[in-house]
Amino acid sequence: MMTSAPLPPMPPGHWLWGHQLQRQSDPLGLYLKARQRFGDVVRYRMGYVYVEQLTHPDHVKHVLADEVTRYTKGTVFDKTRPLVGNGLLTAEGDFWKRLRRLAQPAFHKERLASLATMMTDTVSERLQTWEPAVDGGRPVPLFQELMKLTLTVVVRSLFSSDVKDQTHLLGEAFTTALEVTNERIVSPLPYRPWLYRLPTKKNRDFQRALGTLDTIVNDIITRRRAAGTADAKDLLGMLMAVFDADTQDALDDAQLRDEVMTLLLAGHETTATSLAWTFHLLEQHPEVEVQLHTEVDRELGGRVPTVEDLPKLRYLGCVFEEAMRLYPPIWAIPRVPQEDDVVDGFRIPKGDIVILVPYVTHRHPDFWPEPERFDPTRFLPENSKERPRWAYLPFGGGQRQCIGNNFAMMEAQLILAMVAQRFTLRGVPGVPVEPEPHVTLRPRGPMPMVVKRRGPAWRQ
């Protein structure tokens, strides 16, 4: 019966390339328009590869929760292995389950709360560098600034004071390695490990950066081990301290290194991207910005926010969640079926690529009225209680939901509150802000914005 089900409908495409050229030029438009025209299950041909797009919340649940053993992550994630090794992002099967079980306690909200002061200290330090541009008309390259800020936050969260003067070196090396990794992921070339060993400039840059990262990270792990105790005040210490009394299991040095790289990869670009879109949307919707500023001033009174303040900053949380709805940082999630499947009456052949598209699911008109409108009140509890769980997935879902979602939410809300206390951000006339569907849904270019001081509400 499975093989007798019809294949999903397919939009018209090029006789040779299929939909690959459309995918390269405007993937967001391709996927969104295809759902509007053909429904929640659509098939594409990308050259010689077939892709099925699933966008209904029930289909997302089917892949990420109900049939999780049927769908693997595929070769797209293999392209990240040279950087992150076999960590939580790339591992599969029983090995992944072991890593997740061991790492999970380090990411409980209660343990992450101890990092909040380090985060706010880092944000205060970085915002001081914006001061020369305040009211002077000189724009700040906002996306680049947020990338630097969130990378510094995650480095200090991981290593506390161990990196000291190496923070800048670590950041530069990781940025280089990440950019090369991003290019490899979006490349239409299939995964072939030998391609990464060719003596191209990109490959040489990557190897130099990776060598720097490994030297610093492995040295820190070695010194921690030699000291005989793990400093549980930072994420590395929390991971080193994890021990399963039932199985006598813990993370060894190689696994710690892979998890550190995974956290560096996942812990800064997604947050920076989401914050960049949040500030852009606030500029476009001054009535939302005014309400946000009113709440921040009322609840904080000019003082530095703490983790205990976040539940009181209710509207601020809704603003950030609505920004992630419109511009989900991970805008597409690939999977590969290991056997034939049937979804909504259509056959999904073994070995095809199945793509879940949060960018489209977050605009599904059956679950999001006026889906293109920026409306943070959608996320007030009274307005979201009837919404299906799987209609919103900025951090993925199921057992492989991002383990760092609590860290990211805490970091992003603290940054948003501290910027909103001090500044308003305004775009540069004539400079468009457009999405660039990279690995993350980042803004194209540095996203320059003019920084304006808010006035007497903020006091140091």
Side-chain angles (χ1 to χ4, degrees):
M1 291 185 60
M2 188 169 290
T3 56
S4 66
L7 292 168
M10 180 184 291
H14 188 272
W15 68 271
L16 177 61
W17 304 114
H19 307 91
Q20 182 64 29
L21 299 180
Q22 294 168 269
R23 164 64 180 81
Q24 291 178 337
S25 63
D26 183 18
L28 302 179
L30 171 65
Y31 296 147
L32 191 61
K33 291 173 185 175
R35 195 219 66 80
Q36 293 168 347
R37 180 178 177 185
F38 297 98
D40 292 315
V41 186
V42 182
R43 195 169 203 234
Y44 307 99
R45 181 172 63 84
M46 307 294 180
Y48 61 88
V49 176
Y50 285 94
V51 176
E52 278 76 37
Q53 169 184 319
L54 308 178
T55 52
H56 193 281
D58 291 347
H59 304 161
V60 175
K61 179 176 180 291
H62 176 84
V63 172
L64 295 183
D66 298 340
E67 297 291 338
V68 66
T69 58
R70 189 193 300 263
Y71 289 88
T72 61
K73 303 195 86 171
T75 59
V76 169
F77 289 89
D78 290 335
K79 294 182 178 183
T80 68
R81 287 185 191 276
L83 177 58
V84 303
N86 199 28
L88 279 168
L89 181 68
T90 54
E92 299 273 14
D94 291 340
F95 182 71
W96 173 83
K97 291 179 181 178
R98 170 183 173 270
L99 289 178
R100 181 79 180 208
R101 185 188 72 251
L102 286 172
Q104 188 69 55
F107 292 89
H108 289 164
K109 285 185 178 180
E110 294 75 14
R111 301 199 72 176
L112 293 176
S114 64
L115 302 174
T117 300
M118 178 282 305
M119 289 183 177
T120 54
D121 288 347
T122 302
V123 176
S124 293
E125 177 185 311
R126 191 68 202 175
L127 292 184
Q128 289 297 321
T129 68
W130 295 15
E131 288 294 333
V134 172
D135 301 326
R138 178 168 63 85
V140 166
L142 183 66
F143 183 54
Q144 293 177 357
E145 282 292 314
L146 292 170
M147 288 281 278
K148 292 175 183 176
L149 171 57
T150 56
L151 181 56
T152 304
V153 168
V154 75
V155 166
R156 292 181 180 177
S157 298
L158 275 164
F159 304 122
S160 189
S161 61
D162 276 343
V163 288
K164 295 180 182 177
D165 297 333
Q166 293 178 306
T167 300
H168 181 69
L169 181 62
L170 190 65
E172 280 192 341
F174 188 77
T175 299
T176 298
L178 177 60
E179 289 303 314
V180 176
T181 299
N182 281 343
E183 290 179 17
R184 291 172 175 178
I185 291 173
V186 300
S187 169
L189 293 176
Y191 173 64
R192 297 290 185 269
W194 59 266
L195 287 173
Y196 303 156
R197 294 192 292 270
L198 296 176
T200 65
K201 182 181 184 303
K202 291 289 186 183
N203 287 347
R204 293 196 304 271
D205 290 345
F206 178 85
Q207 289 302 326
R208 279 194 297 269
L210 188 63
T212 299
L213 291 169
D214 281 341
T215 297
I216 295 173
V217 172
N218 290 331
D219 179 62
I220 292 172
I221 292 172
T222 299
R223 285 190 280 114
R224 291 275 186 100
R225 294 288 195 201
T229 58
D231 180 7
K233 294 180 181 179
D234 58 29
L235 281 173
L236 177 60
M238 294 178 193
L239 289 171
M240 294 181 77
V242 166
F243 180 75
D244 191 317
D246 293 333
T247 62
Q248 304 293 297
D249 201 5
L251 296 172
D252 63 28
D253 288 1
Q255 290 158 359
L256 282 169
R257 177 266 177 210
D258 290 350
E259 294 315 319
V260 165
M261 296 301 181
T262 298
L263 290 170
L264 286 170
L265 175 67
H268 90 283
E269 182 171 349
T270 53
T271 305
T273 298
S274 297
L275 283 168
W277 288 119
T278 302
F279 290 119
H280 169 67
L281 289 164
L282 287 171
E283 183 210 6
Q284 299 297 308
H285 299 83
E287 73 287 355
V288 174
E289 185 180 57
V290 168
Q291 191 167 342
L292 172 65
H293 287 166
T294 300
E295 179 184 73
V296 167
D297 293 345
R298 181 183 69 244
E299 298 297 337
L300 299 180
R303 61 179 171 77
V304 174
T306 67
V307 70
E308 289 78 17
D309 291 314
L310 296 183
K312 295 180 286 187
L313 296 172
R314 187 183 186 199
Y315 190 70
L316 180 145
C318 292
V319 166
F320 186 65
E321 290 194 277
E322 174 71 344
M324 288 196 295
R325 181 187 71 82
L326 286 170
Y327 296 99
I330 304 301
W331 64 278
I333 303 171
R335 291 291 187 266
V336 177
Q338 299 305 296
E339 55 188 79
D340 281 4
D341 196 6
V342 172
V343 175
D344 204 15
F346 294 108
R347 179 162 62 94
I348 309 297
K350 170 185 176 181
D352 281 7
I353 296 176
V354 166
I355 183 170
L356 312 174
V357 192
Y359 182 86
V360 178
T361 301
H362 290 183
R363 286 168 166 76
H364 201 299
D366 291 351
F367 310 101
W368 304 99
E370 297 182 80
E372 294 294 342
R373 183 164 61 92
F374 179 56
D375 179 12
T377 63
R378 299 178 197 270
F379 286 92
L380 292 172
E382 59 269 27
N383 295 335
S384 58
K385 60 184 178 181
E386 301 298 329
R387 188 180 304 127
R389 155 70 185 85
W390 297 91
Y392 184 64
L393 57 155
F395 298 104
Q399 66 179 25
R400 298 206 69 143
Q401 177 172 294
C402 176
I403 196 172
N405 62 328
N406 290 328
F407 178 94
M409 287 298 294
M410 180 173 70
E411 175 192 16
Q413 290 178 88
L414 290 171
I415 293 172
L416 179 55
M418 294 181 71
V419 174
Q421 282 182 313
R422 303 185 188 201
F423 307 122
T424 58
L425 301 174
R426 294 292 177 260
V428 176
V431 179
V433 178
E434 300 173 339
E436 181 180 30
H438 220 254
V439 178
T440 58
L441 189 56
R442 54 167 62 173
R444 192 181 307 277
M447 195 176 183
M449 298 192 83
V450 176
V451 182
K452 301 283 187 181
R453 198 183 308 278
R454 279 198 55 218
W458 165 259
R459 63 180 182 272
Q460 189 66 31

